[in-house]
Amino acid sequence: ASEQLRLKIMRKKGKISEQDVVEAISAIDEKYRLGSVTTTLQTLIAGENIREASLLVAQLERENSNIRANGWIDPELKSVVDVQLAFARIAMHRGGEQGKNFDSKLRSLISDAFAALRADVHLEKKSFESLWKMLRAMQDEQATITNLRGKVRSNVPPKEGFYSIATKALSLGRLDLAGEALLAQLEWLINGRNRLSSAEKISGIRRVVSMIKAVSKRLEIQSKTDNQRALTRKWLTSTGSEIAELLGNYRKRWAGYANGKERTPDQVGRSLSFVRILSRLQLETKLAYTDASERKQLVTQEMAKANREVLKQEKLIVEIFEPYGKEITTNVDAKRLLR
C-alpha cells in the first residue's frame, strides 16, 4: 500500500495538489493507512522530494488532530505519529533553502522533537535512545555552526584563514556558512589590513576560486537529487557572482596602477600581469556558476570584452604619446637626439 501511495504521488511530481494527496490516502484501507503514510513519508524525505513530503505532512497533521472523527489513525499511536511528524519537519527543513532564519527555525524544530519524544509512551527504549542521541548530535552541530559563524563575522581570520571554516561548513552541508566564509576571506585578502605580498594575495584568491569550482564539480555527481542540484546551483550563482564582482573591482584597481603616471616599465609590467591573472580567475568563477550549455557563449562574450579593453588601452597610449611623436617629427634637435 505504501508503494502504491508513493507511486501515485510521484506520478504527479512537481504538479501534485493537496487534493491529490487526500484522494490517494483515502483510497488506502483504514487498517493500513497509518503505516503506509508514515513509510511513504520516510521514502519521500530520503529522496529529498520536499514539496511532496510537505503536502503529505500537512495532511497527516490535519488527520492527526482529529483522530476520533477519522478512523485511519489509531488514537493509541498518536504520540508515535507526533514523533514521526517532528522528525519529518526537521528533515524537510534541513533539506530546504538555508535562509536568514534557518538556524533559529531548526533549533525550534529540534526542541519540538525532544518534547514529542518525552511524550511518547509507546516507543521502544532502544528506538527512544537512538532518536534522542540523534537530536543531541543535531544540537551539537548547531553549536558548532554558531561558533564558526561568530568567527567569520569577527572579520579576523584564524591562522589558517577562513578557508578551514568554509571546508568545515561544506562537510556539514551548510552552503550558506561556506559562502559567508569564502566572501569574508576574499574581502580580507583584497581590502583588509594585512601584510601579504601581491603574490600571496593572488595565491589566496586562487584558493577561494578553486573551492567554488569544487562545489560546481559536485553538480556532476549522479547521486545528487534534483533538490540538491537546485539548491547548489542557486548558491553557486549567488556566491559566485559576488566573488566575480569583487575580483572585477580588484582587477580594475590593478589596471589603474598600470595606467598611473610615473610608473616604471617593471611596475607597469607587473601590474598588467596581475590584471591578466585576475581576469582569468574572474572568468573561471563565472564559468563555475554558469550552466554548461551557456559557457561557450560566456567565453565568447568575455573575449570580446577583453578585446574592447585592449583597444581602449591602445587608444589611451596613442593619446598620451601623440604629442611627443609630433615633437620628434618637427623638431630638428629632437630628431638628432633620437638618432
Side-chain angles (χ1 to χ4, degrees), residues 171-186:
S171 71
L172 294 173
R174 292 302 299 267
L175 289 171
D176 59 329
L177 179 57
E180 200 172 328
L182 289 176
L183 286 167
Q185 181 67 47
L186 186 58

Side-chain angles (χ1 to χ4, degrees), residues 48-188:
E48 292 202 18
N49 297 293
I50 303 302
R51 182 178 180 278
E52 290 74 20
S54 65
L55 288 173
L56 197 59
V57 165
Q59 186 60 23
L60 187 56
E61 287 174 330
R62 189 173 293 110
E63 298 294 349
N64 194 28
S65 65
N66 192 24
I67 289 171
R68 287 175 178 79
N70 186 293
W72 63 273
I73 293 182
D74 187 339
E76 293 182 3
L77 295 179
K78 181 180 184 301
S79 57
V80 177
V81 176
D82 285 340
V83 171
Q84 169 91 18
L85 286 171
F87 277 85
R89 293 187 197 104
I90 290 173
M92 287 190 297
H93 184 69
R94 286 169 65 120
E97 191 171 345
Q98 298 160 353
K100 183 179 179 181
N101 299 316
F102 180 86
D103 288 307
S104 60
K105 176 67 174 177
L106 181 55
R107 285 191 292 270
S108 176
L109 291 173
I110 292 172
S111 178
D112 291 344
F114 270 123
L117 270 180
R118 292 189 189 99
D120 187 359
V121 295
H122 301 283
L123 199 63
E124 294 180 359
K125 183 180 178 180
K126 189 174 181 180
S127 297
F128 177 90
E129 291 175 348
S130 176
L131 293 173
W132 191 273
K133 186 177 180 181
M134 188 185 301
L135 290 175
R136 291 291 298 175
M138 291 181 193
Q139 282 189 324
D140 292 342
E141 183 179 296
Q142 277 296 292
T144 298
I145 288 168
T146 299
N147 180 48
L148 293 175
R149 198 183 297 280
K151 290 181 178 179
V152 171
R153 293 181 178 178
S154 71
N155 294 321
V156 180
K159 185 178 179 180
E160 64 277 17
F162 291 126
Y163 311 105
S164 59
I165 295 178
T167 300
K168 179 66 175 177
L170 288 173
S171 71
L172 294 173
R174 292 302 299 267
L175 289 171
D176 59 329
L177 179 57
E180 200 172 328
L182 289 176
L183 286 167
Q185 181 67 47
L186 186 58
E187 185 70 38
W188 181 79

Side-chain angles (χ1 to χ4, degrees), residues 38-315:
T38 53
T39 300
T40 303
L41 181 58
Q42 290 173 342
T43 304
L44 292 174
I45 291 172
E48 292 202 18
N49 297 293
I50 303 302
R51 182 178 180 278
E52 290 74 20
S54 65
L55 288 173
L56 197 59
V57 165
Q59 186 60 23
L60 187 56
E61 287 174 330
R62 189 173 293 110
E63 298 294 349
N64 194 28
S65 65
N66 192 24
I67 289 171
R68 287 175 178 79
N70 186 293
W72 63 273
I73 293 182
D74 187 339
E76 293 182 3
L77 295 179
K78 181 180 184 301
S79 57
V80 177
V81 176
D82 285 340
V83 171
Q84 169 91 18
L85 286 171
F87 277 85
R89 293 187 197 104
I90 290 173
M92 287 190 297
H93 184 69
R94 286 169 65 120
E97 191 171 345
Q98 298 160 353
K100 183 179 179 181
N101 299 316
F102 180 86
D103 288 307
S104 60
K105 176 67 174 177
L106 181 55
R107 285 191 292 270
S108 176
L109 291 173
I110 292 172
S111 178
D112 291 344
F114 270 123
L117 270 180
R118 292 189 189 99
D120 187 359
V121 295
H122 301 283
L123 199 63
E124 294 180 359
K125 183 180 178 180
K126 189 174 181 180
S127 297
F128 177 90
E129 291 175 348
S130 176
L131 293 173
W132 191 273
K133 186 177 180 181
M134 188 185 301
L135 290 175
R136 291 291 298 175
M138 291 181 193
Q139 282 189 324
D140 292 342
E141 183 179 296
Q142 277 296 292
T144 298
I145 288 168
T146 299
N147 180 48
L148 293 175
R149 198 183 297 280
K151 290 181 178 179
V152 171
R153 293 181 178 178
S154 71
N155 294 321
V156 180
K159 185 178 179 180
E160 64 277 17
F162 291 126
Y163 311 105
S164 59
I165 295 178
T167 300
K168 179 66 175 177
L170 288 173
S171 71
L172 294 173
R174 292 302 299 267
L175 289 171
D176 59 329
L177 179 57
E180 200 172 328
L182 289 176
L183 286 167
Q185 181 67 47
L186 186 58
E187 185 70 38
W188 181 79
L189 283 168
I190 64 181
N191 295 322
R193 293 182 179 180
N194 56 65
R195 297 182 178 180
L196 299 177
S197 66
S198 298
E200 288 172 324
K201 288 183 178 182
I202 290 295
S203 177
I205 292 170
R206 278 199 176 102
R207 191 171 176 184
V208 170
V209 174
S210 69
M211 293 186 78
I212 289 290
K213 290 166 67 178
V215 175
S216 178
K217 199 74 175 174
R218 291 186 182 186
L219 288 173
E220 299 174 11
I221 299 175
Q222 296 298 319
S223 60
K224 275 192 172 292
T225 64
D226 291 342
N227 183 61
Q228 288 173 327
R229 291 179 193 280
L231 292 174
T232 303
R233 174 65 67 192
K234 186 172 183 179
W235 177 85
L236 275 171
T237 302
S238 174
T239 304
S241 59
E242 286 189 66
I243 288 175
E245 183 178 358
L246 283 170
L247 291 177
N249 292 335
Y250 195 41
R251 179 181 58 79
K252 289 176 183 177
R253 193 191 307 175
W254 275 100
Y257 296 155
N259 294 332
K261 294 181 179 180
E262 299 179 0
R263 302 277 289 175
T264 66
D266 284 344
Q267 290 173 326
V268 171
R270 195 178 306 116
S271 296
L272 290 175
S273 174
F274 281 120
V275 168
R276 285 191 291 271
I277 293 171
L278 290 168
S279 295
R280 185 167 63 250
L281 290 172
Q282 184 185 28
L283 177 57
E284 288 177 9
T285 303
K286 288 182 177 180
L287 288 170
Y289 66 79
T290 301
D291 189 84
S293 62
E294 300 174 0
R295 287 174 185 167
K296 185 176 180 179
Q297 182 182 354
L298 175 63
V299 172
T300 302
Q301 290 173 345
E302 291 296 317
M303 288 179 65
K305 182 179 177 181
N307 287 334
R308 287 195 297 270
E309 290 189 7
V310 169
L311 291 173
K312 184 179 178 181
Q313 290 297 320
E314 288 178 346
K315 184 178 179 181

